[in-house]
């Protein structure tokens, strides 16, 4: 029998849908989806059979067979696309896998906010409408010394909003050495253009002098901006005025001084090797009028952006109508409030905020985890691979402290048959997927972000 003849033997959709074997699928997925999926299964089969890639005589198979294929496809659609992954990448704050994970208290706060109504802009005492910033402003000012603060979706939003509010149609002066791009999608010059301000570049990439700023100021100047060049470093023949010099100059001209701080440390991270991340407080003490930061980088909270600084400027920013488009939702605000509250006790913050805990933990604690995890991996691989614990270095990530190697411990795996890249792929296929890295032609699982051995061994089933 030729293929076309065989295909005539396919059962009708209606007969399959009427089959008792189909009842449970219809109950779960609905009749329409089951019918659409079966139709897709038949179409695919017909095409494959005509192309000689499937056996035409399979057309005779009974309803149960076709329902089985359709159900498998439908089950796949129930699996979420966003999945938990295990960070053994050697990058503590990795943008592609969601940056910081939340402290338990912050996650609980977000959960509560997700599953109940909250007084996000409602004054309970007065029973009247309030402002979204009220819950967080007091904490932020207490932790940073700022007079006032507002919160938006991320640092890019913070910069866009602040520039629009303070420098729309006017000039903002920036050094050429600070016109940064972060992660390919954030470019300071482009955000500035979108904000409506006019970019006035001064100096050269490696050197900008006080006189460059002095010469650039005119009647159209509205703002001086300094961007923390967090993801690259110019070394060698370089110079730039200190923030204090620049803000003193801005003040003498009656101009606000804004600093895009990027990572936004609340406590000093120098003891953990992160030397070039000034705190928000320090930046304000050097007379910055407005500081913007990300909340999901070294701060260790949810994705959000804080704008902190002088009251009168924050009020202008808050009243700007872009604020509405950039505001955070209740889950984010709850998680951020809980994260910031942990900072009231810095030791607690270091212990409970995962990003800070991972950054600050001792190399011995990383090694201990690595030893235990390596035993599970040895057992799992048997004699297919060599598993060893090695000294390694990792990075803070997300544009922070790019040139600083943080000491770490990795598990290095060499497989008898699989190349390092194939091994990496194999680990990404586990459930949950484990994200390692290949460096120096060696596949590694960095252990700095692993708190418990089960975080890795749960995937090895
Ligand atoms: C990360 C970063 C940004 C962008 O912040 P997002 O929170 O990712 O929007 C802007 N400026 C600097 C200096 C940064 O490091």
């Amino acid at each position: 029998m030729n293929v076309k003849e065989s295909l005539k033997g396919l059962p009708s959709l209606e007969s399959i849908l009427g089959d008792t074997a189909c009842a449970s699928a219809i109950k779960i997925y609905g009749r329409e989806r089951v019918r659409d999926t079966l139709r897709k299964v038949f179409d695919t089969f017909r095409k494959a059979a005509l192309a000689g890639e499937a056996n035409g005589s399979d057309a005779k198979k009974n309803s149960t067979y076709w329902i089985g294929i359709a159900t498998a496809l439908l089950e796949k659609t129930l699996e979420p696309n966003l999945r938990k992954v295990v960070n053994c990448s050697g990058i503590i704050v990795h943008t592609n896998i969601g940056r910081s994970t939340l402290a338990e208290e912050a996650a609980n706060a977000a959960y509560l906010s997700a599953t109940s109504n909250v007084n996000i802009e409602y004054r309970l005492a007065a029973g009247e409408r309030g402002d979204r910033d009220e819950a967080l402003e007091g904490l932020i000012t207490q932790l940073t010394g700022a007079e006032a603060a507002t919160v938006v979706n991320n640092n890019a939003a913070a910069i866009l909003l602040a520039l629009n509010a303070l420098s729309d149609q006017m000039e903002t002066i920036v050094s050429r050495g600070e016109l940064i791009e972060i992660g390919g999608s954030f470019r300071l010059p482009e955000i500035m253009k979108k904000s409506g301000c006019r970019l006035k570049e001064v100096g050269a990439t490696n050197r900008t002098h006080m006189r460059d700023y002095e010469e650039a100021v005119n009647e159209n100047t509205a703002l001086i901006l300094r961007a923390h060049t967090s993801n690259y470093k110019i070394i060698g023949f370089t110079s730039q005025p200190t923030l204090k010099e620049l803000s003193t100059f801005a003040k003498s001209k009656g101009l606000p001084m804004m600093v895009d701080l990027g990572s936004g440390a609340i406590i000093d991270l120098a003891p953990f090797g992160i030397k070039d991340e000034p705190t928000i407080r320090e930046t304000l003490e050097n007379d910055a009028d407005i500081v913007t930061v990300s909340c999901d980088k070294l701060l260790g909270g949810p994705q959000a952006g804080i704008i902190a600084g002088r009251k009168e400027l924050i009020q202008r920013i808050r009243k700007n109508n872009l604020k509405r488009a950039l505001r955070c939702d209740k889950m984010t605000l709850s998680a951020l409030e809980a994260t910031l509250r942990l900072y009231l006790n810095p030791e607690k913050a270091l212990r409970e905020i995962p990003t800070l805990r991972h950054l600050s933990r001792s190399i011995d604690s990383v090694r201990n985890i690595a030893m235990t995890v390596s035993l599970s991996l040895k057992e799992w691989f048997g004699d297919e691979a060599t598993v060893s614990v090695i000294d390694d270095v990792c990075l803070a990530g997300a544009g922070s402290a790019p040139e600083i190697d943080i000491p770490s411990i990795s598990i290095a795996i060499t497989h008898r048959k699989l190349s390092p890249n194939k091994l990496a792929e194999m680990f990404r296929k586990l459930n949950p997927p484990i994200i390692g890295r290949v460096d120096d032609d060696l596949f590694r699982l960095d252990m700095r972000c692993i708190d418990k051995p089960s975080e890795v061994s749960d995937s090895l089933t």
Side-chain angles (χ1 to χ4, degrees):
M1 204 172 7
N2 71 24
V3 177
K4 277 194 177 153
E5 281 299 314
S6 307
L7 287 176
K8 284 185 187 154
L10 274 174
S12 77
L13 277 180
E14 289 312 316
S15 70
I16 299 183
L17 287 167
D19 195 300
T20 44
C22 210
S24 75
I26 289 175
K27 204 165 175 188
I28 300 172
Y29 303 102
R31 192 182 169 86
E32 206 164 317
R33 275 178 76 199
V34 174
R35 192 183 53 220
D36 289 350
T37 309
L38 278 166
R39 190 174 284 141
K40 230 180 272 167
V41 170
F42 281 172
D43 285 349
T44 312
F45 171 70
R46 269 194 209 97
K47 268 187 207 134
L50 289 170
E53 290 156 6
N55 189 351
S57 60
D58 281 353
K60 293 198 298 287
K61 300 240 183 203
N62 63 13
S63 298
T64 318
Y65 173 81
W66 298 109
I67 293 164
I69 297 178
T71 311
L73 283 177
L74 284 161
E75 270 168 10
K76 272 219 171 98
T77 65
L78 293 182
E79 283 171 19
N81 290 329
L82 288 178
R83 296 168 65 197
K84 169 185 172 159
V85 301
V86 181
N87 181 11
C88 296
S89 68
I91 297 171
I92 298 176
V93 179
H94 194 316
T95 301
N96 303 154
I97 53 174
R99 293 192 180 165
S100 289
T101 57
L102 294 178
E104 203 170 311
E105 286 175 41
N108 288 339
Y111 180 84
L112 189 74
S113 224
T115 50
S116 41
N117 284 110
V118 290
N119 56 334
I120 182 166
E121 39 185 61
Y122 184 75
R123 294 181 183 138
L124 282 170
E128 61 182 25
R129 185 197 164 136
D131 185 282
R132 224 162 253 248
D133 284 333
E134 282 167 29
L136 281 95
E137 190 174 23
L139 266 173
I140 299 171
T141 54
Q142 189 181 351
L143 291 168
T144 64
E147 285 175 13
T150 182
V151 180
V152 286
N153 256 321
N154 52 23
N155 189 22
I159 297 163
L160 180 74
L161 175 63
L163 289 176
N164 183 260
L166 305 178
S167 184
D168 192 22
Q169 311 296 315
M170 301 285 281
E171 289 178 6
T172 291
I173 304 176
V174 192
S175 159
R176 289 199 170 84
E178 297 167 14
L179 293 173
I180 45 176
E181 171 178 309
I182 286 145
S185 51
F186 173 91
R187 280 184 168 168
L188 192 58
E190 282 162 23
I191 290 267
M192 292 182 72
K193 208 157 130 198
K194 284 267 155 61
S195 78
C197 83
R198 297 208 297 271
L199 167 63
K200 179 102 175 174
E201 298 172 37
V202 296
T205 305
N206 58 333
R207 287 166 78 85
T208 304
H209 306 282
M210 219 38 253
R211 65 169 185 278
D212 295 321
Y213 288 95
E214 284 159 11
E215 283 162 13
V217 172
N218 62 43
E219 68 282 2
N220 296 317
T221 311
L223 189 68
I224 298 181
L225 173 64
R226 164 153 289 174
H228 186 56
T229 53
S230 50
N231 65 346
Y232 83 118
K233 199 169 183 78
I234 300 173
I235 48 173
F237 187 58
T238 66
S239 96
Q240 65 168 10
T242 63
L243 174 57
K244 183 82 186 177
E245 285 165 349
L246 205 51
S247 45
T248 305
F249 168 70
K251 195 171 283 174
S252 76
K253 296 286 175 186
L255 296 168
M257 175 76 221
M258 170 166 151
V259 179
D260 165 20
L261 210 46
S263 206
I266 291 200
I267 55 177
D268 183 17
L269 300 175
F272 317 112
I274 308 293
K275 298 219 162 54
D276 271 340
E277 294 294 339
T279 62
I280 303 172
R281 179 180 291 277
E282 206 180 318
T283 309
L284 291 167
E285 279 168 3
N286 278 310
D287 289 336
D289 298 300
I290 288 290
V291 179
T292 72
V293 301
S294 290
C295 298
D296 55 353
K297 293 184 179 173
L298 293 178
L299 198 147
Q303 181 194 301
I306 291 175
I307 311 175
R310 282 209 351 248
K311 193 170 207 147
E312 170 254 332
L313 299 174
I314 295 292
Q315 260 156 6
R316 270 166 69 191
I317 290 167
R318 194 177 280 147
K319 273 196 226 127
N320 186 283
N321 50 24
L322 263 183
K323 170 79 204 293
R324 169 61 193 250
L326 304 173
R327 72 182 189 187
C328 296
D329 76 309
K330 60 189 166 104
M331 292 178 282
T332 301
L333 290 175
S334 293
L336 184 57
E337 184 193 351
T339 305
L340 291 172
R341 214 169 275 291
L342 289 170
Y343 275 99
L344 294 174
N345 177 348
E347 275 163 28
K348 195 170 177 200
L350 284 173
R351 217 171 38 238
E352 296 189 9
I353 296 175
T355 300
L356 292 187
R357 180 171 66 239
H358 297 153
L359 190 66
S360 64
R361 70 196 288 201
S362 75
I363 194 75
D364 285 340
S365 100
V366 185
R367 187 178 286 110
N368 285 341
I369 292 277
M371 291 298 189
T372 313
V373 172
S374 75
L375 295 179
S376 322
L377 283 165
K378 273 183 187 147
E379 194 181 336
W380 194 58
F381 276 114
D383 57 9
E384 282 173 38
T386 333
V387 175
S388 45
V389 172
I390 60 167
D391 288 344
D392 209 344
V393 288
C394 70
L395 296 171
S400 316
E403 79 288 17
I404 294 170
D405 284 340
I406 299 164
S408 192
I409 303 287
S410 284
I411 297 173
I413 304 170
T414 322
H415 197 275
R416 289 231 315 261
K417 296 201 187 92
L418 301 175
S419 70
N421 283 323
K422 282 282 171 205
L423 258 181
E425 190 184 323
M426 191 204 85
F427 274 85
R428 289 198 305 271
K429 283 185 180 154
L430 297 176
N431 185 24
I434 297 178
I435 314 294
R437 82 180 196 282
V438 177
D439 207 350
D440 234 355
D441 211 27
L442 184 61
F443 177 68
R444 305 141 193 260
L445 298 172
D446 189 293
M447 291 291 118
R448 186 164 273 283
C449 295
I450 301 301
D451 291 306
K452 294 195 301 272
S454 61
E455 290 168 29
V456 175
S457 56
D458 280 354
S459 298
L460 311 177
T461 48

Short mmCIF file of all heavy atoms in Angstrom, two decimals, residues 99 154-156 159 180 182 186 228 230 260 262 294 297, ligand 1:
data_model
loop_
_atom_site.label_atom_id
_atom_site.label_comp_id
_atom_site.label_asym_id
_atom_site.label_seq_id
_atom_site.Cartn_x
_atom_site.Cartn_y
_atom_site.Cartn_z
N ARG A 99 20.16 38.12 38.53
CA ARG A 99 20.90 38.89 39.55
C ARG A 99 20.70 38.32 40.96
O ARG A 99 20.81 37.12 41.16
CB ARG A 99 20.53 40.38 39.47
CG ARG A 99 21.04 41.00 38.17
CD ARG A 99 20.94 42.51 38.21
NE ARG A 99 21.43 43.10 36.96
CZ ARG A 99 21.21 44.33 36.58
NH1 ARG A 99 20.52 45.15 37.34
NH2 ARG A 99 21.70 44.78 35.45
N ASN A 154 14.06 50.21 38.06
CA ASN A 154 15.48 49.80 38.06
C ASN A 154 16.32 51.06 37.96
O ASN A 154 15.79 52.17 37.93
CB ASN A 154 15.79 48.80 36.93
CG ASN A 154 15.34 49.29 35.57
OD1 ASN A 154 15.18 50.48 35.34
ND2 ASN A 154 15.14 48.37 34.65
N ASN A 155 17.61 50.89 37.90
CA ASN A 155 18.47 52.07 37.87
C ASN A 155 18.35 52.82 36.54
O ASN A 155 18.43 54.04 36.50
CB ASN A 155 19.92 51.65 38.15
CG ASN A 155 20.84 52.84 38.35
OD1 ASN A 155 20.39 53.93 38.69
ND2 ASN A 155 22.13 52.64 38.14
N ALA A 156 18.13 52.09 35.45
CA ALA A 156 17.95 52.75 34.16
C ALA A 156 16.73 53.68 34.23
O ALA A 156 16.78 54.82 33.75
CB ALA A 156 17.77 51.71 33.05
N ILE A 159 17.58 56.80 36.28
CA ILE A 159 18.36 57.79 35.53
C ILE A 159 17.46 58.53 34.53
O ILE A 159 17.49 59.76 34.42
CB ILE A 159 19.53 57.10 34.78
CG1 ILE A 159 20.48 56.46 35.80
CG2 ILE A 159 20.28 58.07 33.89
CD1 ILE A 159 21.43 55.43 35.20
N ILE A 180 29.13 55.16 29.49
CA ILE A 180 29.25 53.71 29.57
C ILE A 180 28.10 52.96 28.91
O ILE A 180 27.00 53.48 28.75
CB ILE A 180 29.28 53.27 31.07
CG1 ILE A 180 28.20 54.02 31.84
CG2 ILE A 180 30.65 53.52 31.64
CD1 ILE A 180 28.06 53.63 33.28
N ILE A 182 26.18 49.23 29.59
CA ILE A 182 26.11 48.13 30.54
C ILE A 182 25.26 47.00 29.96
O ILE A 182 24.10 47.20 29.62
CB ILE A 182 25.56 48.59 31.90
CG1 ILE A 182 26.67 49.39 32.59
CG2 ILE A 182 25.17 47.44 32.79
CD1 ILE A 182 26.18 50.51 33.40
N PHE A 186 21.92 48.81 27.96
CA PHE A 186 21.88 50.11 28.63
C PHE A 186 23.08 50.92 28.20
O PHE A 186 24.21 50.57 28.50
CB PHE A 186 21.89 49.93 30.16
CG PHE A 186 22.02 51.25 30.89
CD1 PHE A 186 20.89 51.94 31.28
CD2 PHE A 186 23.26 51.79 31.17
CE1 PHE A 186 21.01 53.16 31.94
CE2 PHE A 186 23.38 53.01 31.83
CZ PHE A 186 22.25 53.69 32.21
N HIS A 228 29.30 56.20 37.62
CA HIS A 228 30.31 55.30 38.16
C HIS A 228 30.63 54.29 37.07
O HIS A 228 29.76 53.55 36.61
CB HIS A 228 29.72 54.60 39.39
CG HIS A 228 30.71 53.75 40.11
ND1 HIS A 228 31.90 54.25 40.59
CD2 HIS A 228 30.68 52.46 40.45
CE1 HIS A 228 32.56 53.28 41.19
NE2 HIS A 228 31.84 52.18 41.12
N SER A 230 31.34 51.37 36.45
CA SER A 230 31.46 50.15 37.25
C SER A 230 31.90 48.93 36.46
O SER A 230 32.43 48.00 37.04
CB SER A 230 30.13 49.88 37.95
OG SER A 230 29.07 49.94 37.02
N ASP A 260 25.32 58.60 39.07
CA ASP A 260 24.79 57.26 38.81
C ASP A 260 25.80 56.30 39.41
O ASP A 260 26.88 56.10 38.89
CB ASP A 260 24.66 57.03 37.30
CG ASP A 260 24.47 55.55 36.97
OD1 ASP A 260 24.08 54.79 37.88
OD2 ASP A 260 24.73 55.17 35.81
N GLY A 262 25.39 53.04 40.05
CA GLY A 262 25.37 51.65 39.57
C GLY A 262 24.95 50.69 40.64
O GLY A 262 23.78 50.58 40.98
N SER A 294 21.02 50.65 41.52
CA SER A 294 20.24 49.43 41.29
C SER A 294 20.03 48.75 42.62
O SER A 294 20.92 48.76 43.47
CB SER A 294 21.03 48.44 40.43
OG SER A 294 21.17 48.86 39.12
N LYS A 297 21.72 44.51 42.43
CA LYS A 297 23.14 44.18 42.28
C LYS A 297 23.71 43.92 43.68
O LYS A 297 23.14 43.11 44.40
CB LYS A 297 23.85 45.32 41.55
CG LYS A 297 23.40 45.46 40.09
CD LYS A 297 24.21 46.54 39.38
CE LYS A 297 23.81 46.67 37.93
NZ LYS A 297 24.49 47.83 37.31
C1 LIG B 1 23.88 48.46 36.29
C2 LIG B 1 24.08 49.88 36.02
C3 LIG B 1 23.06 50.64 35.43
C4 LIG B 1 21.74 50.02 35.02
O1 LIG B 1 21.03 49.62 36.14
P1 LIG B 1 19.76 48.62 36.02
O2 LIG B 1 19.30 48.48 37.44
O3 LIG B 1 20.25 47.38 35.41
O4 LIG B 1 18.76 49.33 35.19
C5 LIG B 1 23.29 51.97 35.20
N1 LIG B 1 24.47 52.55 35.55
C6 LIG B 1 25.46 51.87 36.13
C7 LIG B 1 26.74 52.56 36.48
C8 LIG B 1 25.30 50.50 36.39
O5 LIG B 1 26.30 49.80 36.95
#
